[in-house]
Amino acid sequence: MSVDEDARWLEWVTKQFESIAGEDKEIDLEEFKTALKVKESFFAERFFALFDSDGSGSISLDELLKALNLLIHGNETDKLRFLFQVYDVDGSGSIDPDELRTVLKSCLRESAISLPEEKLDDLTLALFESADKDNSGSITFEELKEELENFPEVMENLTISAANWLKPPDSQKKRRHTPRYLTRAYWHNNCRKLLFMGCYVCLNILLFTFAALKHTTAGFWVMVAKGCGQCLNFNCTFIVVSD
């Protein structure tokens, strides 16, 4: 979110809180779900537990805004630590492979990256085995942070996703109206693939054009046939070589 969007979001959160909070100026879990319109029960419960810094079973506006400001303005380490705590449900200080897979899946979905389930499993296993330095079967925050420092793009996407789960509904609606293939995140994460496809299409257009122009005196349909034939030869050769 931009700076202006951040300010509008915090203003929206404040108004939502004040409209729901009672005389004690605090809200419980159910009121929290209503105030921020968090649909996923798991996320609502985990975020509420972490926002409730004094463990009172309710949160004040100060507690809420302090936590949200960390998600918006905190550094990558602060955001990653919060995200780690979200999935460390039992508070053991470590997460297992299933919890890590959930983290990565949320990150990829938020970043408009499409990855088959098998590939996601492979990514989870590779990252987990690499991060679990002591082969304990679980990874600590420090182990995860050390491993993700080798993959700055994954680190960036992970730390962005935490705040996005709490975006106001208007922002989510606008986002859904933007086709996935037109988002900045999609172009950023698939730049090499898109560059290759662009060059590939341009090369086919050039081959078609040059072949067609060599037969301008033979008529329009002959030009089309020659151009298509040249592209067909190129693509067949490309397939044979790439295999």
Side-chain angles (χ1 to χ4, degrees):
M1 289 187 285
S2 66
V3 175
D4 289 340
E5 289 176 328
D6 292 340
R8 286 197 297 270
W9 180 33
L10 292 177
E11 182 181 356
W12 175 83
V13 169
T14 302
K15 289 180 178 179
Q16 286 291 106
F17 185 98
E18 292 175 344
S19 68
I20 292 175
E23 294 182 358
D24 59 355
K25 302 299 182 181
E26 296 194 350
I27 59 175
D28 59 23
L29 175 58
E30 292 305 316
E31 290 171 331
F32 173 75
K33 292 179 182 179
T34 302
L36 269 68
K37 304 186 185 298
V38 182
K39 295 181 180 179
E40 290 289 340
S41 179
F42 171 79
F43 289 126
E45 292 172 5
R46 293 301 302 139
F47 275 58
F48 183 86
L50 293 173
F51 290 171
D52 182 16
S53 56
D54 58 3
S56 63
S58 61
I59 58 176
S60 65
L61 180 59
D62 287 340
E63 285 178 316
L64 181 59
L65 293 181
K66 180 180 179 181
L68 294 182
N69 269 296
L70 181 145
L71 288 180
I72 296 173
H73 304 298
N75 58 40
E76 288 187 346
T77 299
D78 292 334
K79 294 177 183 179
L80 184 62
R81 186 182 297 279
F82 180 87
L83 191 60
F84 185 91
Q85 292 174 330
V86 168
Y87 289 96
D88 180 19
V89 180
D90 58 4
S92 64
S94 61
I95 57 178
D96 59 32
D98 290 337
E99 292 171 330
L100 178 61
R101 186 183 190 280
T102 304
V103 174
L104 294 176
K105 187 173 184 178
S106 299
C107 158
L108 295 172
R109 183 172 59 246
E110 188 62 46
S111 305
I113 302 175
S114 178
L115 198 66
E117 293 295 318
E118 292 181 1
K119 295 294 184 182
L120 178 59
D121 291 337
D122 292 341
L123 175 61
T124 302
L125 181 61
L127 181 58
F128 189 88
E129 289 182 345
S130 181
D132 185 17
K133 306 295 185 184
D134 57 2
N135 298 316
S136 63
S138 61
I139 54 179
T140 64
F141 171 76
E142 292 301 328
E143 286 177 328
L144 180 63
K145 179 176 178 291
E146 181 181 349
E147 186 63 25
L148 286 176
E149 286 174 348
N150 297 321
F151 305 95
E153 289 186 359
V154 176
M155 168 80 91
E156 179 184 2
N157 290 328
L158 271 172
T159 53
I160 287 173
S161 64
N164 285 343
W165 286 323
L166 295 177
K167 280 184 179 179
D170 288 344
S171 296
Q172 292 176 349
K173 280 183 181 177
K174 290 177 182 177
R175 177 168 187 157
R176 283 197 294 269
H177 291 163
T178 303
R180 173 173 166 267
Y181 296 106
L182 297 181
T183 60
R184 180 181 298 180
Y186 178 84
W187 283 78
H188 173 74
N189 290 301
N190 295 277
C191 57
R192 291 184 179 180
K193 184 191 299 182
L194 293 169
L195 179 61
F196 170 78
M197 290 301 298
C199 293
Y200 184 78
V201 170
C202 289
L203 184 56
N204 273 275
I205 292 174
L206 288 174
L207 290 173
F208 179 92
T209 303
F210 290 150
L213 290 177
K214 288 181 180 179
H215 300 84
T216 52
T217 58
F220 174 75
W221 292 113
V222 173
M223 292 173 62
V224 172
K226 293 295 184 180
C228 290
Q230 185 65 38
C231 290
L232 181 61
N233 289 337
F234 168 73
N235 285 288
C236 288
T237 303
F238 179 80
I239 292 172
V240 171
V241 171
S242 61
D243 287 342

